[in-house]
Amino acid sequence: MPLGGFEYTRSSPRADDAEPSGAIACAPRCADSYRLCKLPTGSSSDVSEECFQRTPLEFASDTQWLQYDNETYQYDKMVKLPRFALPLRKTNVGTHPAGSWWARVPVPGCRLCDQSVCGAGLMPNMTQKTHVPEEGNFTYYGGLPWFHQQQCAQSCAGLNLTACPPGLTQFAEPLPGISGYTGTYPPIGHNGLPYSIVDVVKVPSDLEPGEYLLSWRWDCEQSHQIWQNCADVRIVVDESVEEA
């Protein structure tokens, strides 16, 4: 779920809007939030979760968008696809830290079976190494019971399906065909789903110029997992506007 780095120019003393986006490798049931942390020494090694929690960002719209890859080739020509608007399901009630804004990830996974058949949710044992023969020559952490439970849950959610069968989604599709659990698996690597989620967030007007790290955090309901990705952000002041 990569985020890119960007420079944000404050053009007025009020809170302005910025537009982050992120690609999706797979879509378990999750809620996401954007947070900022000012780099105290200009180095990301000093960043902590506590720092991010001090500056959660508010969503600036009741809409978010699906953005397909701008370089979609069909035979000898490139096809440019438009953005598609989606309703944004968001809340700041009962969240942590108190009052922070979270939104539902809009892509539903599949409901091929009830995940209760997988048993009560296990916490991974991160000190236990596990080798799973059917997964190839890889070593996993979490313990074999947890790993097998995750395999069961992923199968119920539509592992390797880029769109769910009709009527078998965990919640209603925001647009026809926008569902599924994982993207395509080419011979090498994992492409993920063929679009990014684009949000608009408010940048507080009282932030000092400087180097920041933007956190895009997913907290999962389907499994005991937190996914996080970050982007470098530089906040600068438009001096021509400030002097006017």
Side-chain angles (χ1 to χ4, degrees):
M1 298 179 290
L3 291 174
F6 57 93
E7 181 174 276
Y8 164 77
T9 302
R10 181 181 298 144
S11 58
S12 71
R14 63 176 177 81
D16 286 335
D17 299 342
E19 186 181 272
S21 65
I24 300 177
C26 63
R29 291 194 308 273
C30 292
D32 64 347
S33 181
Y34 294 92
R35 302 93 54 78
L36 276 177
C37 173
K38 191 174 192 301
L39 301 182
T41 62
S43 171
S44 59
S45 62
D46 299 315
V47 172
S48 65
E49 174 63 18
E50 289 74 19
C51 180
F52 283 125
Q53 290 185 10
R54 287 195 289 270
T55 315
L57 300 181
E58 180 181 350
F59 291 96
S61 173
D62 292 325
T63 302
Q64 56 186 176
W65 294 265
L66 284 183
Q67 176 66 64
Y68 282 83
D69 190 337
N70 283 331
E71 296 184 355
T72 301
Y73 284 92
Q74 293 185 345
Y75 298 107
D76 60 345
K77 64 180 180 180
M78 186 180 73
V79 177
K80 186 172 183 179
L81 299 174
R83 283 185 175 181
F84 297 89
L86 308 175
L88 177 65
R89 299 287 297 273
K90 60 183 178 179
T91 185
N92 67 341
V93 177
T95 56
H96 180 79
S100 59
W101 284 93
W102 291 75
R104 184 176 73 179
V105 175
V107 182
C110 307
R111 186 179 173 85
L112 304 186
C113 57
D114 190 325
Q115 291 186 27
S116 64
V117 303
C118 303
L122 297 175
M123 293 294 292
N125 180 352
M126 299 309 295
T127 64
Q128 185 176 352
K129 293 183 180 181
T130 302
H131 177 67
V132 184
E134 63 267 27
E135 292 288 322
N137 189 27
F138 295 100
T139 298
Y140 295 88
Y141 287 84
L144 199 58
W146 175 82
F147 186 86
H148 284 159
Q149 187 174 79
Q150 294 306 302
Q151 286 183 318
C152 174
Q154 290 175 356
S155 296
C156 285
L159 182 67
N160 292 345
L161 290 180
T162 56
C164 300
L168 294 179
T169 57
Q170 295 175 356
F171 54 88
E173 293 180 330
L175 291 172
I178 302 302
S179 63
Y181 186 77
T182 48
T184 56
Y185 281 89
I188 300 176
H190 178 188
N191 278 348
L193 296 171
Y195 42 74
S196 297
I197 303 297
V198 181
D199 292 301
V200 180
V201 294
K202 295 181 180 180
V203 179
S205 60
D206 58 352
L207 292 182
E208 298 178 353
E211 303 292 332
Y212 288 78
L213 204 61
L214 173 68
S215 161
W216 185 37
R217 172 170 165 159
W218 285 30
D219 282 25
C220 294
E221 176 189 6
Q222 180 171 308
S223 60
H224 294 295
Q225 291 179 313
I226 294 173
W227 295 6
Q228 182 160 269
N229 214 318
C230 295
D232 296 306
V233 177
R234 177 180 296 119
I235 296 180
V236 298
V237 176
D238 187 339
E239 295 181 356
S240 63
V241 174
E242 293 290 320
E243 294 174 357

